Amino acid sequence: MNRERLQELIRVFRESGLAELQIKGLFRSVTLKQTPGAVPAAAPVAEAAEPAAAQVTKPSAPAADDGELRYITAPLVGTFYSSSSPDAEPYVKVGDRINADTIVCIVEAMKVMNEIEAEFDGVIAEVLVENAQPVEYGQKLFAVRPA
């Protein structure tokens, strides 16, 4: 990787808001890390366009955490999608009963749509992220009351 490509990669990484990026090649690897939420002073902050109402899944009101909640977390860094397409119904909503193999969302990473399964039974208590929001590895996506 030449110097110009590395500098461009660093610039894009800083603007992305990701906490960590690792690229592995046959002979070299590059790992970039930054403190989440840290924005370099010289980097402009772009304002996101307001998505159409049909594409937005607002997080629900916070569920009372009585110590019995379990969480479905992001298994990878990517973009959270609550449905299979912008005009489709969300996979799950607050109050929906799920089982271990229920698909609850999609996380897109590098143009690959990864269907995320619940991995345990329960009832969706809270949706913790908005549609089309970037998510980090291990970030909580759904709060679930175990069945």
Side-chain angles (χ1 to χ4, degrees):
M1 179 177 300
N2 66 31
R3 183 181 183 108
E4 290 81 32
R5 288 188 66 179
L6 182 58
Q7 288 175 331
E8 178 65 13
L9 178 63
I10 291 169
R11 183 188 64 76
V12 171
F13 174 70
R14 284 182 177 157
E15 293 174 359
S16 73
L18 294 174
E20 182 174 345
L21 175 68
Q22 187 173 43
I23 300 172
K24 292 184 179 181
L26 187 58
F27 300 105
R28 293 187 178 128
S29 67
V30 176
T31 302
L32 302 173
K33 295 181 183 181
Q34 65 182 351
T35 305
V39 178
V45 178
E47 291 185 27
E50 186 65 32
Q55 296 177 345
V56 175
T57 302
K58 297 285 184 189
S60 60
D65 188 355
D66 51 11
E68 295 183 18
L69 294 178
R70 292 185 65 188
Y71 296 93
I72 299 171
T73 60
L76 66 162
V77 173
T79 304
F80 171 88
Y81 292 106
S82 61
S83 61
S84 59
S85 68
D87 56 333
E89 289 292 315
Y91 286 108
V92 295
K93 298 181 286 289
V94 172
D96 286 356
R97 182 169 292 282
I98 59 170
N99 57 37
D101 58 352
T102 300
I103 296 172
V104 294
C105 66
I106 292 174
V107 175
E108 176 192 4
M110 297 177 60
K111 305 292 183 199
V112 175
M113 301 297 181
N114 301 281
E115 293 180 333
I116 308 304
E117 294 181 351
E119 297 183 4
F120 53 87
D121 298 348
V123 175
I124 300 290
E126 184 177 358
V127 179
L128 303 170
V129 292
E130 292 186 26
N131 192 45
Q133 175 181 334
V135 294
E136 301 267 339
Y137 171 79
Q139 181 176 344
K140 294 176 182 178
L141 306 175
F142 299 93
V144 180
R145 292 198 189 291

